[in-house]
């Protein structure tokens, strides 16, 4: 027997020991409110300020551009709804493969009078150049295009998209939650190209759940979703979650320092994995597009993805049948639908995502377990077919 193998790092990641060590004092003894004037409060404020500096440094931003939130979903909502609240309803465009926490608020704004356009992607999951040009010709006011997709791992050419958006006079935001720690991020360079805001999250980089940030150009006017004491430059009221913010700061610092090494290691694991997948006849989605090195999204023809995930779980391997936030939905992935993948193949989609602690031995054991599981499932399918 061997220990269970965690291969679902795009959903969430285990807490790094260094992050845990930094958080513990704020969970066990230090209790100050960062808005209090006494020593306890000053300690908490200093801890939050340091974390803000660490997160900013990880993406080459200014600390004053970092707005802490409770999660990536809140940060995405803050950008879309906060910007819309400062403007008359206009034209909004988001890519068809956005996370639901961008798609859903965009559709809410549509019901409030905004004209919503979903930008098409090609068969690899990249923004379709012709449709993007058509969208920009309509002179949108606001755009949101994710940097790296949580399911396929596809990386968009954000600088190029941003330059075109700026030329069209549009404000551009990017959900960079999956990109942080897996590829270099430079908000200064992206901002110069035309990106006004980025969303980041701690629990994707071996930090705690409950801490995230909207990194936003200070020249952009937003209205807060949560009004109150005026925390976070007045954009996110509420007593700061000091332990989680402290953990986010340390996790961001570590992720930035390790990004090149992690990309190389994960890329080697994915190469071994996908060689084994191809030998089993798997279709690997977006394999011809630039992808995060830790992500592989595949399907085995004739095998249901949910069934396969359950069988692999019982064999000791944690993988996903799609995005964790939408795994309760019975329909196939909206990302694969947007890419034009046939529904019967999309229903078989399974995602593996590597992270800290994974190694080549685990990949070999996974391929062996997958081969055995697929053999069993295909045998059952053949038996069922014979009964019909």
């Amino acid at each position: 027997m061997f220990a269970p193998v965690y291969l679902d790092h795009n959903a969430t990641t285990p807490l790094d020991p260094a992050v845990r060590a930094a958080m513990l004092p704020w969970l066990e003894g230090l209790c100050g409110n960062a808005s209090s004037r006494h020593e306890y409060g000053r300690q908490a404020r200093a801890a939050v300020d340091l974390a803000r500096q660490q997160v900013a440094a990880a993406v080459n931003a200014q600390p004053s551009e970092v707005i802490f939130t409770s999660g990536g979903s809140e940060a995405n909502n803050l950008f879309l709804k906060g910007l819309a609240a400062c403007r008359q309803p206009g034209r909004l465009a988001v890519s068809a493969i956005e996370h639901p926490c961008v798609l859903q608020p965009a559709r809410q704004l549509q019901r409030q009078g905004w004209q919503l356009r979903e930008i098409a992607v090609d068969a690899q999951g990249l923004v379709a150049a012709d449709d993007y040009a058509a969208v920009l010709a309509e002179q949108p006011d606001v755009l949101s295009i994710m940097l790296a997709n949580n399911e396929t791992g596809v990386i968009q050419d954000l600088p190029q998209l941003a330059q075109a958006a700026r030329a069209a006079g549009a404000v551009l935001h990017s959900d960079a939650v999956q990109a942080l720690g897996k590829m270099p991020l430079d908000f200064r360079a992206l901002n110069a190209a035309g990106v006004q805001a980025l969303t980041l999250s701690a629990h994707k980089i071996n930090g705690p759940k409950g801490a995230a940030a909207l990194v936003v150009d200070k020249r952009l006017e937003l209205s807060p979703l949560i009004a109150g004491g005026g925390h976070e430059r007045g954009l996110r009221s509420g007593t700061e979650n000091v332990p989680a913010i402290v953990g986010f700061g340390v996790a961001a610092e570590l992720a930035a320092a390790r990004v090149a090494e992690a990309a190389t290691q994960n890329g080697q694991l994915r190469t071994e994995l996908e060689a084994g997948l191809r030998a089993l006849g798997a279709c690997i989605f977006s394999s011809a597009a630039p992808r995060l090195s830790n992500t592989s999204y595949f399907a085995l023809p004739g095998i249901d993805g949910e069934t396969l995930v359950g069988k692999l779980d019982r064999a000791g391997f944690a993988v996903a049948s799609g995005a964790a936030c939408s795994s309760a939905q019975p329909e196939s992935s909206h990302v694969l639908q947007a890419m034009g993948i046939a529904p019967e193949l999309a229903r078989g989609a399974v995602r593996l995502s590597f992270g800290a602690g994974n190694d080549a031995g685990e990949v070999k054991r996974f391929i062996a377990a997958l081969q055995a599981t697929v053999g069993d499932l295909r045998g059952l399918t053949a038996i069922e077919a014979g009964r019909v």
Side-chain angles (χ1 to χ4, degrees), residues 46-56 66 68 245-250 252:
V48 170
D49 288 346
L50 174 59
R52 198 184 309 276
Q53 293 168 14
Q54 291 169 315
V55 172
V66 175
F68 286 124
I245 289 172
V246 166
F248 187 11
V250 174

Side-chain angles (χ1 to χ4, degrees), residues 18-192:
V19 173
R20 179 180 180 275
M23 292 174 65
L24 273 177
W26 295 98
L27 294 168
E28 295 180 342
L30 298 175
C31 63
N33 183 322
S35 296
S36 296
R37 299 289 183 175
H38 45 63
E39 178 60 21
Y40 293 91
R42 287 193 293 271
Q43 288 178 338
R45 174 55 56 196
V48 170
D49 288 346
L50 174 59
R52 198 184 309 276
Q53 293 168 14
Q54 291 169 315
V55 172
V59 296
N60 193 26
Q62 296 297 321
S64 58
E65 295 171 318
V66 175
I67 307 301
F68 286 124
T69 67
S70 68
S73 293
E74 183 188 341
N76 285 338
N77 275 261
L78 173 58
F79 171 78
L80 288 169
K81 295 179 181 178
L83 187 66
C86 297
R87 300 177 174 221
Q88 293 297 317
R91 296 179 184 272
L92 166 64
V94 303
S95 83
I97 58 169
E98 294 298 313
H99 191 278
C101 66
V102 167
L103 289 173
Q104 292 304 321
R107 291 165 185 166
Q108 288 178 338
L109 292 177
Q110 183 180 30
R111 293 192 288 272
Q112 297 170 18
W114 284 77
Q115 297 179 52
L116 176 62
R117 175 80 142 75
E118 291 189 11
I119 308 163
V121 297
D122 63 19
Q124 293 296 319
L126 291 164
V127 167
D130 55 349
D131 197 52
Y132 190 58
V135 167
L136 295 182
E138 297 169 1
Q139 296 185 310
D141 300 282
V142 185
L143 297 168
S144 186
I145 302 173
M146 69 191 332
L147 177 52
N149 187 262
N150 47 301
E151 294 186 36
T152 63
V154 167
I155 300 169
Q156 304 294 338
D157 188 346
L158 192 57
Q160 182 178 3
L161 296 172
Q163 289 168 6
R166 183 176 61 182
V171 173
L172 175 62
H173 158 265
S174 185
D175 180 344
V177 163
Q178 288 295 341
L180 183 62
K182 298 167 190 168
M183 58 181 286
L185 279 180
D186 187 335
F187 183 66
R188 283 277 71 72
L190 290 171
N191 189 230

